[in-house]
Amino acid sequence: MEKTNGFIAKRYFSGFGEAHDTYNAISKASDGKIYYILSSTKHDIGGQFYRYDPEKDVTEFIADLSDALGEKEAKYIAQGKSHVEFYEHDGKLFFATHVGYYEMIEGSEQLPKHAPDGYKLYPGGHFLYYDLSTGEIKSLALAPHGEGILTMTMDKEREHLYGITWPKGYLLDYDIKKGQLKDLGLVDEQGEGGIIGKDYRVLCRSMFVDSRDGKLYYSTARGDIFSYLPGDEAPQKVESVDLRLDYFGTYDYTGAGSMSYNWRKIFWYEKEQTAYGVHGNSGYLFRFDPLRKNIELVDRIVSEPSKRCGMFDQFSYGYLGFTLGPDDTIYYLTGAPIYKDGQRVKGVDKIAMGAAKGLEYLHLVTYHIPTNKYEDHGPVFYEDGSFPTYVNSIALDNKGDVYTLARFLHDEKEIEDIIKIPFTAK
């Protein structure tokens, strides 16, 4: 165990004993509460929607997503997940749903082609909202081709929702005012539904909108950057700039097991009129200026122990717990090496599918943009000495405490649920 400054996180059991790994799906709303979704891998149980009240220190169940959308009774394969953040606008939380039940096809988890007895095939993911005042959950649009929605962002000013589906990767544009959904085609070959080594491409997990003109940006496995403006017939490749940087590493963009040259997470930073992103495997923070078509490396924001030993993330996709706080500070939940008898415990060199090469500790890192100040605040443990794993989400409450969804043991069973990292008490 690390013997440095750090945190003791508080674990919460929301009531869902089958909870599986969740990515992104946790955000703070204007009411001060933390909204989150716990993933289900069952064909007949939807993702479980909850909120946590920091003032009362309690969790509250909101809905089973499939039930709320009327699909549980109709016996469709469940809306088992949401893998996107919540975007608050006009008193509503906008988000999207994803499939959580898979079929093993040629050795990998794929979108089911055969439904369990008595059930219908997955109908596709939803763009939807939760009304903070009334509690209404309403579907706005259904993703085409029966695919889940893996990636999402929102242009609040122009009222558009954008998504990338899974597994093949169709780019979607939903115009809220007009109530119209546009399918803009595949973003990169056959996405994660393709054949590894041929037309397989890992899909971008994070997009942003330039507030000045409403242009959407996303990356590809090959490291290209594409943009799309409502009204365009198709996305356009951004020329003269790419993510194939030596410092990010070298990847076979037709292979699985990493995010390849994609950025892992990115957000628009209004004060500088630029985007800040992190490359997953290498942990480099970068600044992307869409007008100058320029990418500038800012700092390596992995943990101090990772910096000292020069390692990449053991979670080879990189981490999604990356967000901008209200004080112009980036908050990042990242990994750190585990040592045994003075030697670093190494994971496997290469994985065919998935993302975990081996276990590592969890650290909270901050980076203050105006002063370029990086700080590793240390590791996160539970009271019993165990530590959070499979962490790929982040939210901050009004006081500045940090929340994420992480694995831990509950009643001798490993689940994933919300935990609180007491940052303000540090």
Side-chain angles (χ1 to χ4, degrees), residues 162 171 184 187 207-210 213-220 224-239 241 263 288 290-291 293:
Y162 298 105
L171 180 65
L184 296 155
V187 298
M207 304 182 286
F208 75 92
V209 172
D210 185 329
D213 57 11
K215 191 172 286 187
L216 173 76
Y217 290 87
Y218 63 89
S219 65
T220 69
D224 293 324
I225 299 171
F226 280 78
S227 68
Y228 166 76
L229 196 62
D232 290 350
E233 290 186 5
Q236 302 296 318
K237 180 181 172 182
V238 180
E239 302 294 344
V241 64
W263 56 54
F288 170 45
L291 291 186
K293 297 182 179 180

Side-chain angles (χ1 to χ4, degrees), residues 182-384:
K182 283 185 69 175
D183 175 3
L184 296 155
L186 297 170
V187 298
D188 197 3
E189 295 290 342
Q190 292 296 305
E192 293 172 32
I195 299 172
I196 293 174
K198 185 180 178 183
D199 54 5
Y200 177 94
R201 301 289 189 273
V202 66
L203 295 167
C204 181
R205 262 61 172 182
S206 183
M207 304 182 286
F208 75 92
V209 172
D210 185 329
S211 66
R212 295 167 294 189
D213 57 11
K215 191 172 286 187
L216 173 76
Y217 290 87
Y218 63 89
S219 65
T220 69
R222 194 174 185 272
D224 293 324
I225 299 171
F226 280 78
S227 68
Y228 166 76
L229 196 62
D232 290 350
E233 290 186 5
Q236 302 296 318
K237 180 181 172 182
V238 180
E239 302 294 344
S240 306
V241 64
D242 60 63
L243 294 159
R244 295 183 293 276
L245 305 180
D246 292 345
Y247 278 29
F248 288 171
T250 303
Y251 305 93
D252 173 7
Y253 59 84
T254 70
S258 80
M259 285 301 298
S260 194
Y261 294 100
N262 274 295
W263 56 54
R264 180 58 166 160
K265 193 76 178 284
I266 197 165
F267 61 79
W268 179 250
Y269 183 50
E270 190 67 35
K271 290 185 178 180
E272 290 184 3
Q273 303 283 276
T274 57
Y276 276 83
V278 64
H279 177 260
N281 213 0
S282 65
Y284 272 101
L285 178 70
F286 64 89
R287 182 188 296 113
F288 170 45
D289 186 328
L291 291 186
R292 293 175 56 212
K293 297 182 179 180
N294 176 63
I295 288 178
E296 176 186 350
L297 294 187
V298 177
D299 200 348
R300 191 164 183 239
I301 58 168
V302 296
S303 66
E304 285 284 4
S306 293
K307 283 185 174 183
R308 287 195 297 270
C309 71
M311 67 178 283
F312 274 178
D313 293 329
Q314 290 294 292
F315 194 83
S316 62
Y317 274 41
Y319 293 98
L320 288 166
F322 173 87
T323 193
L324 180 67
D327 52 355
D328 297 308
T329 297
I330 295 170
Y331 291 75
Y332 187 43
L333 291 170
T334 185
I338 296 173
Y339 286 87
K340 184 177 182 180
D341 299 326
Q343 298 295 316
R344 177 165 66 90
V345 178
K346 294 184 178 181
V348 297
D349 293 330
K350 185 176 176 59
I351 50 179
M353 293 295 291
K357 292 183 176 181
L359 289 180
E360 56 187 349
Y361 292 127
L362 179 70
H363 277 230
L364 174 59
V365 168
T366 59
Y367 187 90
H368 187 238
I369 295 174
T371 60
N372 299 312
K373 183 182 179 182
Y374 158 95
E375 187 172 359
D376 182 350
H377 298 273
V380 181
F381 290 99
Y382 299 131
E383 287 185 357
D384 61 4

